[in-house]
Amino acid sequence: MNEILKIFLSLSLSGSLLILVLLLCRPLFKNKVSKSWQYYIWLVVIIRLLLPFAPETSPIGSLFQTIDNATIQIDTADSPEQDIVSSVQSANTMATENDAVSQQEELSTDITSLTKRIFAGLMRNLWLAWLVVALILMIRKITIYQDFIKYIKAGHMEISNTALLDRLAIIGKQSGVKKPVELYTNSLISSPILIGFFRPCIVLPTADLLDADFQYTILHELTHYKRRDMFYKWLIQFTICLHWFNPLVYVMVREVGRMCELACDEAVIKTLDAKGRQDYGNTLINAIGIAGNYKDTLASVTLNESKNLLKERLEAIMVYRKKTKLIVFITLVLTMSLIYGATAMGAYAISSGPTFDKEAKQIDSESKSTEDEYLKWKIKKKKDAYYYRNQRVRIFMDMRADRSFENFNYDELGKIDLRLVRAQDNTIEKVGYLPKAEVKKILKDLDIKQKEDGKIKRLSKKAVSKEVLNVINSCETGTWYAIVDNRYQYIYYRNMPHNYAWTPKLNKKSAAIDIFDLGKSSGTYVLLKVPKNLKLTIHYNSKKVKYTKVHI
């Protein structure tokens, strides 16, 4: 699965948990904290849904990393063995064409292999389906917005009544809106609306309104503009396009739309007395069904979203009370708690370049420290060669207490063979010459590697075909791969933390590749070429690993 899609799935999961928390807690603070807080607190959820910020370790990040490590999407080490055994059986079948049973097994194997390849291709390209749907939804919303604006402008008439325009200017000045506000009527719309991101335009179903209704209608719409609710609304639309697969996001959109009107009402009635709040409530009632029936509010904010919301808005106006300092303090604590929770939940993260550079610098620092330690034992490093008491070392083995390599180097120009032994605290405990029998065995193994070099090779990415390189570029970090083309299978692992050494164990039917992390030097990638007809087993630091097999 593509890394970007994994990030958005993890963001969607984190955001879903926050949505559930706010929905479950809604009855607790419904009438206790301000509507504005209940409106803007959803911005924390939206930011969580859009931005993949996360601490180094987080529950969501760990969950996705665990899924990465535990889930084998195509083939595991057992599956490739069966696949290769089947290939060997297929070769025998070709030699004995009269064996009908073997031919049937070969056909079954081919069908299974084809199915796996199709499934692997679908999983690798699943992110394209997600992206295409997201783009289609966004384009559709933009198109609806453009059609809506055309519809409004086609049927609107500019209000020329100077008295109304003067009142509009006064209300705008009192509201703190410095930009000029345009005023129109359109008999086809069902409720007063505000359009325009930077040039506010209020459209009324009719200009024949009572003085109080006109005043509170304009005040309501200008409050939407002053609070930048249009931008908030489009941020919500952008979020839902990216998380179109998450049903809880649609619930959040409805909740934000509801709170948008309640918060705007609250902002308007803050400065009103009891009589003014009553007149404002009457304005909401009078706004229902004054004219047409065009109700699309995707790109606008309206005085009356729906009749179902009207009752709640009127109740909120009737019970409105200014919030005490204690309530303000509680809302501050709730906000900080939600922000902390959103951050702590985290998200899936791709290994980034800066982090890797930091690790590389740390490795270089450790390498310098090791060389200083070697000097204490009269071991010097010049370029890629080691010297002990001024004699060039051929086999250089620096072994940890658990018998793994701290460092290993072979220099065919060397004259002596050396082994360093480390204690449990990883400090050098002893330096000694290798016994002749052990040297003979090591040289034999190295000789085998050189003889088999024509069959198994370490490659750079420049040395592979374009098809293999395309697969390599889509491989995920932390997963071993066997990429199979017509002639070879390529062992690949991205972001090996340190340099590595490898030794092959071959026979006519199988190849066992032992890969060792040398523990020092800068990181790299593993890329080895192995003949296709060999049954493949991979060991990393003496442990058998599972790998994903990808057919080209």
Side-chain angles (χ1 to χ4, degrees):
M1 194 182 297
N2 183 267
E3 298 288 313
I4 296 176
L5 182 55
K6 284 183 183 178
I7 289 175
F8 272 97
L9 287 175
S10 68
L11 292 175
S12 205
L13 179 57
S14 293
S16 296
L17 294 175
L18 292 176
I19 291 171
L20 288 174
V21 168
L22 287 178
L23 291 177
L24 291 174
C25 294
R26 184 175 63 183
L28 300 177
F29 51 66
K30 180 178 179 181
N31 293 319
K32 295 181 176 63
V33 300
S34 71
K35 305 301 181 185
S36 293
W37 182 87
Q38 296 181 56
Y39 175 48
Y40 287 115
I41 195 63
W42 288 102
L43 283 172
V44 177
V45 182
I46 295 169
I47 291 171
R48 176 71 282 173
L49 287 166
L50 295 179
L51 301 181
F53 61 88
E56 290 186 7
T57 57
S58 64
I60 300 298
S62 299
L63 173 64
F64 273 77
Q65 291 291 350
T66 301
I67 293 172
D68 271 355
N69 296 333
T71 303
I72 306 302
Q73 297 176 343
I74 310 167
D75 294 320
T76 63
D78 295 331
S79 300
E81 290 172 6
Q82 295 172 359
D83 189 39
I84 296 169
V85 169
S86 299
S87 298
V88 174
Q89 291 174 348
S90 297
N92 293 334
T93 301
M94 294 176 65
T96 58
E97 296 180 353
N98 295 327
D99 192 343
V101 176
S102 295
Q103 289 178 354
Q104 187 175 1
E105 290 178 355
E106 179 185 4
L107 178 60
S108 176
T109 301
D110 290 342
I111 293 173
T112 302
S113 178
L114 178 62
T115 303
K116 289 178 180 178
R117 272 182 261 175
I118 293 173
F119 178 74
L122 289 174
M123 291 304 293
R124 284 198 304 271
N125 296 300
L126 187 61
W127 71 278
L128 286 173
W130 160 75
L131 184 60
V132 167
V133 174
L135 289 173
I136 290 173
L137 287 174
M138 196 66 205
I139 292 171
R140 180 176 178 273
K141 290 179 183 297
I142 293 172
T143 303
I144 290 174
Y145 166 73
Q146 292 174 334
D147 290 344
F148 175 74
I149 295 300
K150 289 178 182 178
Y151 176 88
I152 294 298
K153 290 184 175 180
H156 81 312
M157 294 180 59
E158 186 174 1
I159 292 179
S160 56
N161 187 317
T162 55
L164 292 180
L165 294 176
D166 288 342
R167 291 186 64 193
L168 171 64
I170 293 171
I171 297 171
K173 186 176 181 180
Q174 292 174 346
S175 302
V177 177
K178 297 179 180 180
K179 292 189 176 181
V181 181
E182 298 178 4
L183 189 62
Y184 296 91
T185 60
N186 188 324
S187 60
L188 299 178
I189 62 175
S190 61
S191 177
I193 60 173
L194 169 73
I195 59 174
F197 288 93
F198 304 103
R199 294 177 59 188
C201 176
I202 297 174
V203 185
L204 305 174
T206 176
D208 187 16
L209 297 173
L210 297 175
D211 290 346
D213 288 351
F214 179 83
Q215 178 178 342
Y216 292 125
T217 296
I218 298 301
L219 186 58
H220 180 95
E221 300 305 334
L222 290 181
T223 302
H224 276 306
Y225 175 76
K226 189 177 178 181
R227 292 156 62 97
R228 298 293 186 263
D229 287 337
M230 292 281 288
F231 291 94
Y232 195 167
K233 199 162 189 175
W234 269 102
L235 181 63
I236 287 285
Q237 296 303 320
F238 178 70
T239 303
I240 204 171
C241 288
L242 292 177
H243 295 272
W244 55 265
F245 52 85
N246 188 343
L248 285 175
V249 173
Y250 295 87
V251 176
M252 179 190 73
V253 171
R254 288 196 296 270
E255 184 66 14
V256 172
R258 186 178 69 89
M259 293 312 306
C260 176
E261 293 305 318
L262 288 169
C264 186
D265 291 341
E266 183 183 68
V268 172
I269 65 176
K270 271 183 179 180
T271 57
L272 301 180
D273 55 17
K275 178 66 168 58
R277 289 197 290 271
Q278 183 179 354
D279 290 343
Y280 182 74
N282 291 333
T283 298
L284 297 182
I285 296 172
N286 295 336
I288 297 178
I290 0 182
N293 55 12
Y294 194 98
K295 298 181 180 181
D296 193 299
T297 59
L298 173 65
S300 63
V301 282
T302 69
L303 179 67
N304 179 52
E305 289 281 351
S306 69
K307 293 181 181 180
N308 295 331
L309 184 58
L310 178 61
K311 182 180 178 181
E312 184 177 3
R313 294 173 68 181
L314 292 175
E315 288 177 353
I317 292 170
M318 292 173 61
V319 301
Y320 172 75
R321 297 289 184 277
K322 290 185 177 181
K323 306 307 175 186
T324 64
K325 292 182 179 181
L326 177 60
I327 295 298
V328 173
F329 175 75
I330 291 173
T331 56
L332 179 62
V333 172
L334 289 173
T335 303
M336 297 305 296
S337 300
L338 195 68
I339 292 173
Y340 175 79
T343 305
M345 273 192 288
Y348 178 81
I350 304 174
S351 298
S352 61
T355 302
F356 184 79
D357 290 342
K358 183 179 178 181
E359 291 175 354
K361 290 178 181 178
Q362 183 178 354
I363 291 167
D364 291 340
S365 176
E366 291 174 357
S367 179
K368 182 68 168 60
S369 176
T370 302
E371 290 179 15
D372 292 340
E373 190 179 15
Y374 287 162
L375 285 173
K376 295 178 182 179
W377 293 84
K378 299 182 180 180
I379 299 170
K380 296 181 180 180
K381 185 179 180 182
K382 298 179 181 178
K383 295 185 178 179
D384 293 327
Y386 288 91
Y387 292 83
Y388 180 62
R389 298 182 184 274
N390 296 322
Q391 288 184 292
R392 191 162 180 164
V393 181
R394 178 174 55 176
I395 299 174
F396 183 83
M397 297 173 60
D398 184 356
M399 302 193 69
R400 303 186 185 104
D402 60 1
R403 307 295 293 173
S404 62
F405 286 112
E406 179 78 14
N407 196 359
F408 179 87
N409 188 68
Y410 175 73
D411 180 5
E412 60 183 10
L413 299 178
K415 302 298 182 183
I416 61 173
D417 306 298
L418 205 64
R419 174 164 53 201
L420 282 67
V421 179
R422 292 181 177 267
Q424 291 292 339
D425 62 359
N426 211 38
T427 58
I428 298 175
E429 188 177 56
K430 183 173 64 175
V431 175
Y433 296 102
L434 283 168
K436 290 184 179 180
E438 191 170 349
V439 169
K440 185 177 180 180
K441 184 179 182 302
I442 293 172
L443 290 175
K444 183 180 178 182
D445 289 341
L446 291 172
D447 186 52
I448 290 173
K449 179 183 181 302
Q450 291 169 359
K451 287 180 180 178
E452 298 296 344
D453 192 47
K455 293 185 177 180
I456 300 179
K457 289 186 177 181
R458 180 174 179 172
L459 303 175
S460 70
K461 292 180 182 179
K462 295 179 180 179
V464 299
S465 66
K466 183 178 179 181
E467 291 77 12
V468 173
L469 185 60
N470 287 338
V471 176
I472 285 174
N473 290 335
S474 66
C475 288
E476 299 174 3
T477 302
T479 302
W480 290 89
Y481 290 87
I483 303 166
V484 184
D485 65 8
N486 294 330
R487 296 181 58 193
Y488 298 102
Q489 46 190 335
Y490 300 87
I491 300 172
Y492 180 71
Y493 185 88
R494 173 177 287 177
N495 281 9
M496 175 69 72
H498 310 117
N499 205 351
Y500 70 94
W502 61 279
T503 58
K505 295 177 183 177
L506 303 175
N507 57 42
K508 293 181 180 179
K509 295 183 179 180
S510 65
I513 312 298
D514 294 327
I515 298 171
F516 297 95
D517 188 336
L518 296 181
K520 298 294 175 184
S521 173
S522 59
T524 183
Y525 57 85
V526 176
L527 183 56
L528 301 173
K529 182 178 73 173
V530 183
K532 180 181 179 181
N533 62 330
L534 296 179
K535 175 183 174 181
L536 182 61
T537 305
I538 303 174
H539 289 83
Y540 176 56
N541 288 340
S542 301
K543 293 182 180 180
K544 185 177 179 181
V545 298
K546 295 181 178 181
Y547 60 88
T548 297
K549 193 170 186 181
V550 180
H551 293 269
I552 299 178

